[in-house]
Amino acid sequence: AQSVSQHNHHVILSEAASLELGCNYSYGGTVNLFWYVQYPGQHLQLLLKYFSGDPLVKGIKGFEAEFIKSKFSFNLRKPSVQWSDTAEYFCAVTTSGTYKYIFGTGTRLKVLA
Amino acid sequence: DAGVIQSPRHEVTEMGQEVTLRCKPISGHNSLFWYRQTMMRGLELLIYFNNNVPIDDSGMPEDRFSAKMPNASFSTLKIQPSEPRDSAVYFCASSLGGGQAETQYFGPGTRLLVL
């Protein structure tokens, strides 16, 4: 069965530090990849998604992610985090022929002011 | 534009009681999803509707859970009888289509506590 792994469960950074959150999936075929963010007490919001084309995807709020097919990875990056980026981040994947999102377990990011 | 609307936002009930969660998807979206979020299991898809028809209910935990979508603008998730292990945040999401690259738009969730 397909699965998504987010190895970092909790990350603590100081403001202005660079961020990279890992996401790996297990599926050998065509995939579509998503990063969602959930701010405290709020619903999930789409940060960015990849479905074809340039493997470097830029999203909202200065986030980007790179799809590396050979590594089955879709890591999320931000060069300089802000206190307001404190949230939980979820990676998700869909595979060809299915609508079903497979979510990772999430990474809780805390940014210290 | 209004996003996905869910009600109630919080529900506290006693074990054995019936609980009904409600969802209004974004107008024009033809796909609707119910998810459950817990610390132990993360985000799990419970059921998926397309054009008001249940397509995949394999994630529904047991017969105590049921979901309906009587029309394009309303869906319910019912738990009867409720149990403490049902305590979770329940999210509804909708998308324009049911395709694999579709963005799902999530509602604010219903935080359910069963005592």
Side-chain angles (χ1 to χ4, degrees):
Chain A
Q2 295 90 12
S3 66
V4 177
S5 297
Q6 292 182 244
H7 303 294
N8 311 106
H9 297 296
H10 292 90
V11 174
I12 300 175
L13 294 173
S14 298
E15 273 194 316
S18 64
L19 170 72
E20 181 160 2
L21 301 182
C23 173
N24 289 90
Y25 62 91
S26 64
Y27 182 71
T30 302
V31 293
N32 304 281
L33 298 149
F34 306 79
W35 274 99
Y36 279 81
V37 61
Q38 186 177 25
Y39 297 104
Q42 296 190 27
H43 60 280
L44 278 81
Q45 304 170 43
L46 182 71
L47 271 179
L48 48 81
K49 71 177 184 182
Y50 170 83
F51 56 94
S52 67
D54 189 343
L56 183 62
V57 180
K58 295 192 182 300
I60 61 171
K61 305 189 182 189
F63 286 91
E64 66 178 31
E66 185 174 12
F67 171 49
I68 302 179
K69 190 173 181 179
S70 61
K71 294 185 177 180
F72 300 90
S73 71
F74 190 56
N75 292 354
L76 181 71
R77 300 194 293 246
K78 186 171 184 178
S80 176
V81 295
Q82 301 172 312
W83 177 80
S84 57
D85 293 324
T86 294
E88 189 160 14
Y89 293 81
F90 293 91
C91 182
V93 62
T94 62
T95 58
S96 56
T98 178
Y99 54 85
K100 186 180 286 191
Y101 278 26
I102 306 298
F103 278 96
T105 51
T107 298
R108 286 182 186 267
L109 171 66
K110 185 175 177 64
V111 180
L112 304 174
Chain B
D1 288 341
V4 175
I5 298 171
Q6 290 186 248
S7 65
R9 294 292 306 276
H10 302 272
E11 177 82 27
V12 181
T13 191
E14 292 188 343
M15 182 173 63
Q17 297 298 306
E18 177 180 295
V19 175
T20 299
L21 312 181
R22 297 172 177 80
C23 175
K24 178 179 168 54
I26 293 172
S27 178
H29 284 191
N30 67 5
S31 293
L32 184 138
F33 308 81
W34 281 101
Y35 289 88
R36 178 171 66 177
Q37 184 182 37
T38 61
M39 290 290 290
M40 292 298 296
R41 300 171 68 92
L43 271 160
E44 303 173 277
L45 177 66
L46 298 177
I47 188 168
Y48 160 54
F49 290 89
N50 185 259
N51 291 322
N52 313 336
V53 176
I55 302 299
D56 181 356
D57 64 357
S58 60
M60 296 285 264
E62 50 198 272
D63 291 346
R64 296 185 298 106
F65 285 69
S66 62
K68 294 183 180 179
M69 192 164 186
N71 57 61
S73 58
F74 184 65
S75 176
T76 59
L77 178 68
K78 186 175 292 186
I79 308 172
Q80 166 63 15
S82 58
E83 295 183 3
R85 61 191 167 123
D86 302 330
S87 297
V89 182
Y90 291 82
F91 288 103
C92 177
S94 70
S95 67
L96 193 58
Q100 63 197 52
E102 292 285 350
T103 298
Q104 293 184 17
Y105 296 86
F106 286 76
T110 296
R111 190 172 293 274
L112 173 66
L113 179 61
V114 183
L115 302 172

